[in-house]
Amino acid sequence: MIMIEFSKESYIKAGKAVIAAKKLARRLVKPGASFLKIADECEDEIIKHDCGLSFPVNMSLNEVAAHYSPPINDATIIPEKGLLKIDIGAHHEGYIADSAFTINLDNDDDLQRIIDAADEGLKAAIEIFRPGTKLYELGDVIEKKINSYGLNPIKNLGGHELKKYDLHAGPFIPNTKDMQHNQILEPGVAYACEPFATPGDGWVKNGTSSYIFRFLKKIKKNIPYQEQNYMNKIEKITHRLPFSPRILEKNKIIPSDQIQRYINTFLRKNIIMEYPILIEQSKQYVSQQEHTIIIDMDGNTIVTTRE
């Protein structure tokens, strides 16, 4: 008999930490504010709620759809206008909450339409998120809502199952009616559902920079003692979840002036992997709205990250 690792209480606790961090982000985001300060304070808020980071805060602007997290000493500031996507994740004892929202920095009506499309897509998916629903049926309602705004979903991004200490586990929730994703929702599952909307082509490509990494594997051969020491500490502090080098500086894992060198070394040795920033290929604005949704063992649907 397969045992399902599922803690309703921990999923909800992680969700509350994310909700608190989202509320803080909304207060902090304003033109001229520091990306780095906002990310640090939101991550601290999660820790204050007795949770860990399931990934570093993402702050992706305009055509960048995902994976920009402020690096060490980042000087980026919030601009006067545009679409800023804030993606926040927490975990409690490994059980993850993942949620994102998009801020219209100068309340531009045309840009608001892009946010509304993703938001309506997410709401439509939540309405049918229950046992027996197929994942492509979620994608179908998301796509129809976004298309009704004259916009496109991002076709090569979507939602994902969440398992204990595993952010991108197993099945994928498409943002289109992609019938290869025919798994059925059932009790004891958790998913992040995340529509992205754009007036562009609706495809993302990798950028040339990476700011988020994840521990992959330990190696035992041909590794100096100091590298082995840092390798073990990174695995322990991140639980093999995505991380920013900022966590290594904050927790004094590696001296600040040596962090990038060891990141490069560990990438070369396949100890860690990188997540390049993702850019809409036609360089158009992108919005993102995301909630974590669980189905408990009794078949009840709970949105853990909704305020």
Side-chain angles (χ1 to χ4, degrees):
M1 183 177 177
I2 298 174
M3 293 293 293
I4 297 175
E5 286 191 298
F6 186 91
S7 172
K8 177 178 173 179
E9 294 75 18
S10 286
Y11 277 124
I12 290 171
K13 186 175 178 68
K16 288 180 178 177
V18 167
I19 289 168
K22 289 196 297 181
K23 288 179 178 177
L24 177 60
R26 287 194 180 95
R27 294 199 300 270
L28 294 175
V29 169
K30 54 187 176 184
S34 160
F35 269 47
L36 184 58
K37 186 173 187 292
I38 293 167
D40 282 342
E41 291 195 22
C42 289
E43 290 168 2
D44 287 345
E45 186 70 15
I46 287 167
I47 293 164
K48 286 176 189 173
H49 281 74
D50 193 30
C51 288
L53 304 180
S54 54
F55 56 87
V57 169
N58 284 216
M59 301 178 66
S60 303
L61 188 64
N62 296 337
E63 74 275 10
V64 179
H67 295 169
Y68 185 87
S69 188
I72 294 169
N73 298 324
D74 190 15
T76 309
I77 61 170
I78 304 293
E80 294 289 334
K81 70 168 294 177
L83 290 183
L84 178 65
K85 295 157 289 291
I86 306 281
D87 196 346
I88 297 176
H91 74 86
H92 183 256
E93 297 180 352
Y95 296 98
I96 294 169
D98 179 1
S99 186
F101 62 100
T102 305
I103 298 174
N104 182 356
L105 293 171
D106 73 337
N107 299 312
D108 181 284
D109 288 342
D110 289 336
L111 297 186
Q112 188 60 43
R113 185 171 59 92
I114 306 173
I115 297 175
D116 292 345
D119 195 42
E120 289 298 316
L122 179 56
K123 288 176 182 175
I126 290 171
E127 284 180 6
I128 63 168
F129 201 98
R130 54 181 174 264
T133 298
K134 293 181 179 178
L135 299 186
Y136 72 76
E137 293 176 322
L138 300 173
D140 184 32
V141 298
I142 289 169
E143 182 174 28
K144 284 176 178 173
K145 280 292 184 183
I146 292 175
N147 286 164
S148 74
Y149 282 79
L151 301 167
N152 291 312
I154 300 289
K155 302 171 188 68
N156 55 338
L157 286 178
H160 43 94
E161 189 176 6
L162 302 165
K163 290 186 176 178
K164 192 173 184 181
Y165 291 116
D166 191 349
L167 182 64
H168 290 93
F172 173 83
I173 299 178
N175 286 325
T176 63
K177 189 180 180 180
D178 186 343
M179 297 184 70
Q180 67 176 313
H181 300 288
N182 60 1
Q183 296 91 341
I184 295 173
L185 295 175
E186 53 193 21
V189 298
Y191 279 89
C193 184
E194 51 181 324
F196 294 80
T198 180
D201 295 339
W203 297 92
V204 293
K205 61 181 181 180
N206 287 345
T208 57
S209 302
S210 298
Y211 304 96
I212 301 173
F213 306 88
R214 184 170 68 83
F215 190 95
L216 280 180
K217 63 182 181 181
K218 288 184 177 181
I219 61 172
K220 296 181 179 178
K221 294 182 179 179
N222 302 319
I223 181 166
Y225 171 78
Q226 190 63 276
E227 285 183 21
Q228 186 177 54
N229 180 40
Y230 291 155
M231 175 182 71
N232 291 337
K233 286 181 176 179
I234 292 171
E235 181 188 32
K236 183 177 180 179
I237 198 169
T238 66
H239 300 281
R240 300 198 176 203
L241 289 164
F243 69 92
S244 164
R246 288 183 288 107
I247 200 172
L248 308 182
E249 179 186 55
K250 183 176 181 179
N251 290 277
K252 297 180 170 57
I253 303 296
I254 302 173
S256 297
D257 61 351
Q258 297 178 37
I259 289 175
Q260 191 58 54
R261 175 163 67 89
Y262 281 102
I263 290 287
N264 293 340
T265 297
F266 291 161
L267 283 170
R268 190 173 66 250
K269 294 184 177 183
N270 294 317
I271 293 169
I272 64 174
M273 63 167 284
E274 62 187 330
Y275 293 87
I277 59 170
L278 299 175
I279 302 170
E280 205 282 324
Q281 69 175 11
S282 55
K283 300 290 181 69
Q284 291 293 314
Y285 287 105
V286 177
S287 67
Q288 174 193 18
Q289 300 292 110
E290 178 183 22
H291 276 309
T292 293
I293 313 158
I294 66 172
I295 301 177
D296 70 16
M297 302 308 292
D298 296 321
N300 301 306
T301 300
I302 303 166
V303 183
T304 66
T305 54
R306 186 160 55 192
E307 296 169 36

